[in-house]
Every structure is written in C-alpha cells, then in structure tokens.
Amino acid sequence: MALLHGHITSGRGDFAQWIEKYHAHYQQLTGLELYPGTLNLRLAQPYTVPAGSLRLCPQNYGGTVGVYLVPCRVFDRAAFILRTDANERGDGDHPREVIEIATDIKLRDAWDLVDGDLVRVEVTE
C-alpha cells in the first residue's frame, strides 16, 4: 500500500460533467455511485499510475478520453484516483503532481476542507 500526502488545490471543475454523463460506466468499474466532482490534491512529487490499474477506455463508452481509476482510501472511505491519459503522459490540464480523487460524497463539504489543507491518501491497489 502506498501512502500519498497532498494539499488541496482548486481544479477546473471539468471532471464533474464527465462523471455525471458517464455515471453508469464509472459505477460499473468502481462499484460506487461517484459524486460528480473530484478533490484535487497537489503532491510534492509526480505521481505515476500503477501498472494494471482499472481503466475506462474511450471505445467502451463512445468517448475520446481514456481514464485510469486507481483504488484508494481517503478519510477511511473507498475512493479512486482518476487520471486522464493526457495527465498521465504529462501533457494534460494538470501536472503529474496533481491527482484527482473521486468518491461517493463531496469531500470538501463532508470534512469542511479548503484549499491548502493536507489530505492523506492510501493507494490500495
């Protein structure tokens, strides 16, 4: 199990629409009803998706973007690190030091989180 620590940072708000639009595909892969949005964390070091991670492939949902889904735990909740192919390559909207966490609730509201707060993530894969 890998342990990551990152500071909350604001994102673009893009993932929310895609989680909502492709809800059934995300639910099938994760077993969770993901909240339409992610919590962005900036790590001290670049993050690389582990080999063999779950994947939402564009051809499986009729889209154009592949997404890796890495099982993790945040605040002792089942969650997933979501990372697009472009972000994994390092030429996407986020640098490789930024990870996006998705779970079944809005973490900011549930834990009164604000930008700059330090969050611990246990990668369970």
Side-chain angles (χ1 to χ4, degrees):
M1 171 182 67
L3 194 56
L4 306 173
H5 293 88
H7 291 275
I8 296 174
T9 185
S10 291
R12 296 176 37 157
D14 252 6
F15 240 129
Q17 68 178 319
W18 303 115
I19 291 172
E20 195 165 53
K21 183 173 182 175
Y22 299 113
H23 171 281
H25 296 282
Y26 282 106
Q27 184 178 16
Q28 181 180 7
L29 279 173
T30 66
L32 292 177
E33 294 255 352
L34 296 180
Y35 172 81
T38 61
L39 182 70
N40 291 10
L41 302 177
R42 181 174 294 279
L43 310 175
Q45 301 294 323
Y47 176 76
T48 300
V49 171
S53 293
L54 295 173
R55 197 158 150 65
L56 181 59
C57 297
Q59 62 270 28
N60 293 345
Y61 73 96
T64 59
V65 176
V67 179
Y68 291 97
L69 298 96
V70 181
C72 64
R73 294 194 71 77
V74 177
F75 299 107
D76 208 28
R77 297 187 79 82
F80 288 83
I81 296 170
L82 304 183
R83 176 159 287 171
T84 64
D85 290 344
N87 286 339
E88 181 62 13
R89 285 189 310 265
D91 60 4
D93 295 328
H94 297 299
R96 296 188 65 229
E97 293 82 8
V98 173
I99 59 173
E100 297 183 72
I101 307 294
T103 189
D104 60 338
I105 61 171
K106 185 175 182 180
L107 292 168
R108 279 186 183 260
D109 290 352
W111 296 97
D112 291 324
L113 301 171
V114 296
D115 282 3
D117 285 349
L118 185 63
V119 174
R120 175 181 142 155
V121 179
E122 298 173 18
V123 179
T124 56
E125 183 173 75

